Amino acid sequence: ETLAAVGVGLIITGHAFVSGNGKASPRMIGVHSDAMIPGLKKLVNAVHKHDSKIFLQINHAGRQTASATIGETPVAPSAVHFPKTDETPRALSEGEIEDLIDGYGAAAKRAVAAGFDGVQIHCAHGYLGSQFISPYTNRREDKWGGSLENRMRFLLEAYRAVRKVTGDGYPVIVKLNSEDFLDGGLTIDDGARIAQALSDAGIDAIEISGGMGESSG
């Protein structure tokens, strides 16, 4: 509310996890359940007292969490060890990937119900969406990995799931890694191609970022 009161035109929340196994830290905000809607409405109402807008950033931690935080082995596109937690995630099955995509859509539906003015899909900083687009963390050999077109499939399908529930007139934006800053990771050229694909799909805006959990810079 303080930010809105001093004239910030658009506030984007910190990331909110779309499913229970996507929680990055113990006190992370959640949008994984309808039970979260009343609390989320408090955020919206505080901002809407003033001439400001608020978007909900939705995310899944993927491998960048700890089993102690989520109560199970972290999941990811591929079983690539995460040195910061010294844990190796479990590779998602294709069915689980489809379920997670549906989870992004359900999260967006809750964001609309809570009154948010838009949704931002987090696909940066080494979280799940970022893990899918990066050849460093995505070593799959099915339709979700390999070529850049396959690696960006998860992000585009998550966007479509969100758009399906929000409709065309509702702002949907993305936070996108431009580069991983890791050997064998996403390059700026790949990032540009993903940005173009998102634009072609109808995304309303792209926030550019970079780096992953184990990046040095």
Side-chain angles (χ1 to χ4, degrees):
E1 184 174 357
T2 300
L3 290 170
V6 298
V8 174
L10 172 61
I11 297 167
I12 301 176
T13 69
H15 56 176
F17 59 93
V18 302
S19 67
N21 62 359
K23 188 177 184 179
S25 58
R27 296 180 63 81
M28 182 180 175
I29 192 171
V31 65
H32 59 300
S33 164
D34 288 351
M36 302 294 105
I37 294 173
L40 293 170
K41 282 183 177 179
K42 294 180 181 179
L43 279 176
V44 172
N45 292 339
V47 170
H48 285 174
K49 291 178 185 178
H50 308 278
D51 188 20
S52 185
K53 304 295 185 183
I54 182 168
F55 284 16
L56 183 67
Q57 185 184 83
I58 59 175
N59 193 26
H60 189 291
R63 72 199 270 266
Q64 290 190 172
T65 186
S67 55
T69 300
I70 62 174
E72 60 182 86
T73 301
V75 296
S78 303
V80 178
H81 185 74
F82 186 49
K84 287 199 171 184
T85 59
D86 195 25
E87 290 193 69
T88 299
R90 174 178 62 80
L92 289 157
S93 69
E94 288 200 60
E96 288 174 317
I97 292 171
E98 298 284 359
D99 288 343
L100 283 174
I101 289 168
D102 291 342
Y104 279 80
K109 185 175 182 179
R110 295 181 188 110
V112 172
F116 284 93
D117 300 294
V119 167
Q120 184 182 63
I121 300 168
H122 199 329
C123 186
H125 303 168
Y127 294 113
L128 186 65
S130 178
Q131 290 162 34
F132 268 98
I133 64 174
S134 172
Y136 177 82
T137 45
N138 185 348
R139 304 176 190 181
R140 301 180 70 95
E141 297 179 352
D142 57 11
K143 69 178 184 178
W144 304 100
S147 68
L148 180 61
E149 289 71 21
N150 282 355
R151 285 186 280 115
M152 71 171 81
R153 188 187 306 274
F154 179 86
L155 172 58
L156 289 170
E157 290 300 318
Y159 165 67
R160 293 184 183 110
V162 168
R163 181 61 78 193
K164 183 178 180 179
V165 302
T166 64
D168 291 338
Y170 188 84
V172 180
I173 67 176
V174 65
K175 186 169 188 172
L176 179 68
N177 250 25
S178 58
E179 191 168 354
D180 290 341
F181 307 116
L182 286 172
D183 289 340
L186 188 76
T187 66
I188 190 71
D189 290 339
D190 283 352
R193 288 173 60 191
I194 295 168
Q196 183 64 61
L198 285 164
S199 178
D200 293 343
I203 200 79
D204 292 304
I206 300 172
E207 177 189 355
I208 297 299
S209 195
M212 302 183 80
E214 54 260 67
S215 300
S216 58

